[in-house]
Amino acid sequence: MTMIKTRSDRKQQAKDIIRYTTCSEHCFSNCVIKVHIRDGKIWAVEPDDTINHGIAREDGHLPDELIDKCMITARPCTKGYAHIRNLYDHNRVIYPMKRVGERGSGKWERISWDEALDTIAGKLKECKEKYGPYSIGTFSHDGFPLSPWFGAGVNDWGAHSKQGVEEAERWVLGRNGSEDRQDEGNLLKAKLIVLWGFNPATTLSNHVVYTMMRARERGIPIISIDQRLTPTAETVASQWIPIRPTTDVAMMIAMANVWFKEDLTDKGFIKKWVEPEGLHQWQEYVLGKSDGIDKTPQWAEKICGVPAETIIEFARLYARSKPVNLNTAWTLGRQFYGQNGVRAAIYLQALTGNTMSPGATASAETAGEFGQHKPLVPKPTVDWKRSGGDYRAPALMAHFKWPEAIALREKVDSGEMTEAEYNHIISNTPGNPLPNVKILITHASNPVMTHPDINTNIKALKKLDFHAVFSYNLDNPSARYADIVIPQMHIAFEGRDVPFSRAIMRQKDLFCKEAEHLNGNYFVYKQKCVDPPGEVKPRGWVWLQIAKRLGFGEIYSPRLVNVSEDKWDETVEALHREAYEKWALLPEVVPFHPPTWEEFQKKPVFRWEVKEPNYTYKNTIERGENPFAATESGKIEFYSKEVAASSESGRKAKLKEEKPHAANECYGGGHLPAMAEMVIGGHATYHSQDVARYPLLMSSPHGLYRVHSLLDNQPLLRDCYRHAVWISLADAKARGIKDNDSVRVYNDQAEIIMPAYVTSRVVPGTVNIFHGGWYTPNGTKTKLMPEGIDTRGAPNLMTHYDEHLPDTIIDHLPCKALVEIEKWKDA
């Protein structure tokens, strides 16, 4: 942010145009950014001042009662402020570009919009005619946007970020996700807050950590259990308990062992809400009566590395501290047998009667998002009058199976692989048609960086007939392998975008609502700040032009199809005004006295007080309904008959369908136990057969300075911290590695050259490379690294596709891999 230092500067600042927006880039928040515009350019950004103006931190200035009602500012994080530098990056793509060398060569030439759009539309028609409807796809959350009207396209299935969490939650609690997630104010009603692998200082908005700071200041203990001393642990935790990754379930089982033996469970809650037979089977396992192994804290210590004394005292503290606010991270479900840890965490809350108490949680639902799905006040919604098409793209693979579906299809065609083998690898239900993807259009995604096994992703992209990518930069790793790069508009600051598919997950219009992710007590209207540079266009405009070329522009976007380019922003703004004014007249909105559209535009954030913070199942209980009605017993089930049936038959069980025609295979060939157990084995664990060759377990946590891979090219953020492989003092000493040495990180899949950060902040035997570093190959090409050895540090080079994961849920996002590290001999 530019600082104002002189009187003339302050006078000039008073003449600035002020706009408000939100970066809204996949971080589960819609923090408010105040934008200063001068001479048509953004020159400064500030925090939200639409409420509590001039107050840097509300507590100490405002009464707790008002803060507890969430009437506080929505301040951005470092990433939010840095976004404006992307607008003015000298490497930004501002015209359509066409590849003139081989894919990956980095050779491009500028082309006109007509050539770009004609080429894309022509390729789509050609591909559909030549290969059929299952030959077109997209790397994005939303599928091929034109699929319903074009009559072609392939979809995928799975909640890739949290499949391992949601499935485990469904087995135990009978649900997939929840309308009853806690509000952050619920944290203040707890007597103990536990962050199990949970690092909201990095992954969620500032609101959550701010509330945790207030909780700690009120004397509520906060305990962080993690393989790394995270920013959250440093900032708010009363204690950090280091634990070996993938072993969390052992510690949880040992805690239950203490409770069973010392009679510390909540018998009244258990009798009413827990299915007794499954609980009995799990208790027999915990106490060693079923297998002869008593799962004591001493047993767990040998597995997870947490001292037995710590486990015992923590278990006792937990049992006597009701309500306990347990927050588990999605990462528990993103590893081999990770569903065991997720299930065990739900068990802990049930055994202590915390599942549905004010101040507590059921555990799994807190993993990545706070706030209820159905907030008190709806947000305005534009009626685009878009009619639905007749075609629904079938889900013919798991979400992260796109590269393998592309790369392996030729083996099916040549007879080297059977259809059954192919379907098994890509998780396509037998009897479904086979995908034959020849065209990909990538938007709102960077699959080369964010999918596991980067080399397989690149191999697949090189096999395509055609690949178009929306991108800010040509050196974006996914854009390197495109045929046409479409300049991407920054929807937070530039122009007026519109929804471009039937079901956009995060951006249905310019009204961005916090409700789906945090408090649920405000929405912000993203105002246009500046014109985009060069010939950058809204994505909604791009898709409309392609739809018109394909002959269905009128039904795809009837309210915009005849709008000229110079009237686009004005028309989109008018449609949002129409939506707002209709919304303001709704009976449920009128009591909140919404301002006129003109007044709203002065500070376009609408807030309302949270009367009482939400907690898990609050709304369900108030409606007089059974929270666990979807389980077979109508109670919390420790033992899953569904998983047991899969294990006994050796076949794959079926996922609850999320999309029509979905593959919905799951559960890794029947290797998962029917209840939470400490299973010895798996690919990326300390008990893998590969651990002799690759003894270090790499994790790839999210970092403070990127949103997935977004912003890794941002100079303000790229160089303000050390992007290095974190390695413990003991592991570094054993390898002759000193701090900041160049090291080679490798396994059977890839190799990386990068600096080492030697630290006591990670558990021995564990290393960390932060997720999202852009793959930057050098000139040295090897059998492992045909595009060149990475010199930046992209951890997904090391992670394996889950065709190799026979012991876990298919379509979880693997974020771990076994590696070895050595001092780089050519340093």
Side-chain angles (χ1 to χ4, degrees):
M1 183 178 73
T2 303
M3 301 302 293
I4 309 300
K5 296 181 179 180
T6 67
R7 181 175 297 177
S8 61
D9 284 335
R10 287 193 292 271
K11 287 183 178 180
Q12 182 62 49
Q13 184 190 23
K15 299 177 182 178
D16 288 346
I17 296 172
I18 302 298
R19 294 286 185 266
Y20 292 88
T21 187
T22 175
C23 56
S24 59
E25 290 283 5
H26 199 76
C27 60
F28 303 112
S29 304
N30 285 307
C31 301
V32 180
I33 303 173
K34 181 180 180 181
V35 181
H36 290 257
I37 304 158
R38 188 179 298 175
D39 299 324
K41 288 191 174 183
I42 298 172
W43 74 277
V45 291
E46 292 187 88
D48 177 20
D49 69 351
T50 60
I51 191 173
N52 307 330
H53 183 75
I55 298 176
R57 178 174 169 176
E58 279 89 350
D59 52 308
H61 295 273
L62 299 176
D64 282 345
E65 293 77 14
L66 188 61
I67 301 172
D68 291 349
K69 293 176 180 177
C70 300
M71 299 303 286
I72 59 177
T73 53
R75 302 180 184 91
C77 66
T78 307
K79 294 168 282 203
Y81 294 122
H83 267 295
I84 59 166
R85 294 300 178 97
N86 273 358
L87 274 65
Y88 303 117
D89 184 350
H90 68 279
N91 290 319
R92 184 175 175 185
V93 180
I94 60 174
Y95 305 102
M97 305 295 287
K98 181 173 71 174
R99 175 178 58 82
V100 294
E102 293 182 359
R103 285 189 184 137
S105 65
K107 297 179 180 179
W108 306 91
E109 68 177 15
R110 177 181 168 182
I111 59 175
S112 68
W113 268 110
D114 278 339
E115 181 178 350
L117 296 168
D118 288 344
T119 300
I120 294 170
K123 291 290 185 180
L124 289 169
K125 289 179 182 177
E126 176 186 317
C127 189
K128 180 184 176 183
E129 292 171 2
K130 185 175 180 180
Y131 299 109
Y134 311 126
S135 58
I136 299 167
T138 57
F139 271 129
S140 105
H141 295 292
D142 311 312
F144 175 42
L146 305 182
S147 178
W149 304 275
F150 186 53
V154 174
N155 220 326
D156 53 49
W157 64 268
H160 54 280
S161 291
K162 51 186 178 178
Q163 191 77 57
V165 172
E166 289 193 343
E167 279 300 286
E169 188 177 44
R170 185 173 65 83
W171 300 334
V172 183
L173 301 173
R175 71 180 189 194
N176 228 343
S178 172
E179 67 173 38
D180 287 340
R181 292 190 296 251
Q182 68 169 337
D183 290 330
E184 62 202 36
N186 191 51
L187 294 162
L188 300 173
K189 295 181 176 293
K191 290 186 179 178
L192 172 66
I193 298 172
V194 179
L195 312 177
W196 208 305
F198 189 52
N199 179 24
T202 295
T203 58
L204 292 180
S205 85
N206 295 334
H207 285 152
V208 176
V209 178
Y210 172 61
T211 305
M212 288 181 178
M213 291 174 67
R214 294 180 63 220
R216 182 174 176 180
E217 289 167 0
R218 292 186 183 187
I220 302 171
I222 302 175
I223 296 178
S224 171
I225 304 170
D226 207 296
Q227 53 92 17
R228 176 174 64 101
L229 182 61
T230 65
T232 304
E234 286 188 280
T235 306
V236 303
S238 314
Q239 182 181 358
W240 170 44
I241 300 178
I243 190 169
R244 303 178 83 197
T246 73
T247 67
D248 309 88
V249 67
M251 180 173 170
M252 295 175 184
I253 290 169
M255 291 169 61
N257 187 285
V258 173
W259 295 343
F260 289 142
K261 291 178 178 177
E262 297 185 7
D263 197 22
L264 296 175
T265 61
D266 187 328
K267 291 184 175 59
F269 181 88
I270 290 171
K271 183 177 181 179
K272 183 175 182 180
W273 293 113
V274 178
E275 191 278 313
E277 181 60 32
L279 172 60
H280 174 74
Q281 290 189 59
W282 194 68
Q283 184 170 353
E284 295 284 288
Y285 164 76
V286 169
L287 298 176
K289 295 180 180 180
S290 60
D291 62 2
I293 302 172
D294 193 4
K295 316 301 186 302
T296 64
Q298 291 75 17
W299 163 85
E301 178 180 356
K302 296 175 183 178
I303 298 171
C304 67
V306 180
E309 294 82 0
T310 301
I311 296 174
I312 293 168
E313 292 307 316
F314 176 62
R316 290 169 177 165
L317 172 67
Y318 196 118
R320 66 172 180 260
S321 297
K322 184 177 179 180
V324 176
N325 197 283
L326 173 60
N327 300 269
T328 52
W330 284 349
T331 185
L332 264 69
R334 292 177 177 173
Q335 56 198 24
F336 284 85
Y337 299 113
Q339 302 77 29
N340 289 327
V342 176
R343 285 187 282 180
I346 302 173
Y347 297 176
L348 296 186
Q349 290 296 78
L351 289 172
T352 50
N354 280 294
T355 302
M356 46 187 181
S357 298
T361 68
S363 168
E365 84 289 345
T366 64
E369 301 162 327
F370 279 55
Q372 47 190 314
H373 280 298
K374 296 180 180 178
L376 187 62
V377 180
K379 76 175 180 71
T381 303
V382 175
D383 180 7
W384 300 102
K385 299 190 182 302
R386 175 175 292 163
S387 61
D390 297 328
Y391 179 83
R392 302 194 74 180
L396 303 181
M397 68 201 77
H399 182 75
F400 284 99
K401 295 298 192 173
W402 283 95
E404 290 176 303
I406 296 166
L408 297 177
R409 174 57 198 254
E410 62 184 22
K411 291 189 175 183
V412 179
D413 295 336
S414 68
E416 294 180 64
M417 179 180 289
T418 67
E419 290 188 10
E421 291 170 332
Y422 180 69
N423 281 332
H424 175 77
I425 290 172
I426 69 171
S427 299
N428 185 22
T429 298
N432 272 0
L434 299 186
N436 189 19
V437 179
K438 299 295 183 179
I439 286 183
L440 277 178
I441 301 179
T442 298
H443 62 94
S445 182
N446 186 3
V448 168
M449 295 310 311
T450 56
H451 286 205
D453 189 357
I454 288 172
N455 284 324
T456 295
N457 278 271
I458 292 172
K459 180 181 178 182
L461 293 179
K462 285 189 165 187
K463 287 181 177 291
L464 292 170
D465 285 8
F466 182 73
H467 183 209
V469 176
F470 288 80
S471 181
Y472 298 118
N473 304 90
L474 290 174
D475 56 351
N476 173 309
S478 295
R480 290 178 206 156
Y481 301 95
D483 299 296
I484 286 180
V485 172
I486 302 165
Q488 183 161 318
M489 191 184 77
H490 204 303
I491 60 174
F493 302 101
E494 301 169 340
R496 309 280 71 186
D497 210 348
V498 299
F500 42 84
S501 71
R502 182 165 55 190
I504 289 294
M505 293 182 68
R506 303 194 185 281
Q507 185 216 340
K508 293 186 177 179
D509 44 42
L510 299 171
F511 296 108
C512 294
K513 191 164 196 176
E514 194 72 2
E516 293 171 352
H517 304 302
L518 286 170
N519 295 320
N521 78 312
Y522 75 88
F523 65 80
V524 55
Y525 178 69
K526 287 191 291 191
Q527 295 179 320
K528 178 180 177 179
C529 300
V530 293
D531 289 322
E535 296 180 3
V536 177
K537 311 290 185 187
R539 279 183 294 177
W541 179 89
V542 175
W543 285 114
L544 176 55
Q545 306 316 306
I546 297 172
K548 288 164 72 173
R549 283 165 168 80
L550 295 174
F552 49 83
E554 290 282 352
I555 57 174
Y556 172 70
S557 188
R559 303 195 76 177
L560 294 171
V561 66
N562 295 316
V563 175
S564 61
E565 192 174 335
D566 63 322
K567 296 291 186 180
W568 180 273
D569 286 359
E570 177 185 328
T571 304
V572 172
E573 185 89 358
L575 291 172
H576 282 81
R577 175 173 184 159
E578 172 190 276
Y580 179 88
E581 291 177 343
K582 287 182 178 179
W583 164 85
L585 297 176
L586 294 175
E588 63 268 38
V589 174
V590 169
F592 292 90
H593 307 293
T596 65
W597 175 257
E598 289 79 10
E599 283 297 312
F600 177 64
Q601 289 302 301
K602 295 176 182 177
K603 289 189 175 180
V605 181
F606 187 79
R607 290 180 173 87
W608 55 93
E609 293 183 353
V610 174
K611 300 298 184 182
E612 188 67 28
N614 203 54
Y615 59 87
T616 314
Y617 293 122
K618 176 177 181 289
N619 294 333
T620 306
I621 294 168
E622 289 176 351
R623 292 194 299 267
E625 299 171 3
N626 177 4
F628 317 113
T631 66
E632 182 178 319
S633 64
K635 295 186 175 184
I636 300 170
E637 296 187 350
F638 281 43
Y639 184 92
S640 171
K641 293 180 180 179
E642 180 181 0
V643 180
S646 173
S647 297
E648 290 167 4
S649 66
R651 61 175 171 77
K652 294 189 177 184
K654 291 286 184 90
L655 272 165
K656 183 178 180 181
E657 286 203 8
E658 294 184 36
K659 294 183 178 179
H661 316 302
N664 296 336
E665 289 188 286
C666 183
Y667 311 172
H671 295 284
L672 279 178
M675 54 190 182
E677 299 177 10
M678 179 62 218
V679 180
I680 303 299
H683 191 74
T685 74
Y686 291 110
H687 304 101
S688 166
Q689 60 184 5
D690 297 327
V691 78
R693 290 183 299 160
Y694 309 113
L696 300 173
L697 184 56
M698 181 204 75
S699 294
S700 55
H702 286 275
L704 274 170
Y705 302 108
R706 287 189 293 271
V707 183
H708 289 290
S709 64
L710 183 68
L711 300 175
D712 190 51
N713 66 321
Q714 171 52 256
L716 278 179
L717 302 180
R718 182 182 175 95
D719 301 321
C720 70
Y721 83 109
R722 294 170 59 186
H723 184 61
V725 54
W726 289 32
I727 184 170
S728 73
L729 296 169
D731 292 327
K733 183 177 180 180
R735 291 162 176 78
I737 295 170
K738 295 181 180 179
D739 189 53
N740 213 38
D741 278 351
S742 290
V743 298
R744 176 176 175 253
V745 186
Y746 65 96
N747 62 12
D748 61 346
Q749 188 164 284
E751 52 188 323
I752 300 171
I753 305 298
M754 66 186 306
Y757 172 41
V758 180
T759 177
S760 58
R761 294 158 58 98
V762 292
V763 174
T766 299
V767 298
N768 284 256
I769 301 176
F770 286 103
H771 169 64
W774 284 14
Y775 171 41
T776 308
N778 63 13
T780 304
K781 297 183 179 182
T782 67
K783 185 176 180 180
L784 278 181
M785 302 296 295
E787 300 292 306
I789 297 174
D790 182 34
T791 58
R792 173 62 177 160
N796 273 334
L797 283 162
M798 303 289 175
T799 54
H800 291 74
Y801 263 99
D802 52 13
E803 90 193 62
H804 308 296
L805 316 186
D807 306 312
T808 192
I809 281 184
I810 290 175
D811 200 45
H812 83 304
L813 172 58
C815 59
K816 290 179 170 55
L818 287 170
V819 303
E820 178 58 292
I821 298 181
E822 63 185 15
K823 191 170 181 178
W824 186 34
K825 64 180 185 300
D826 296 326

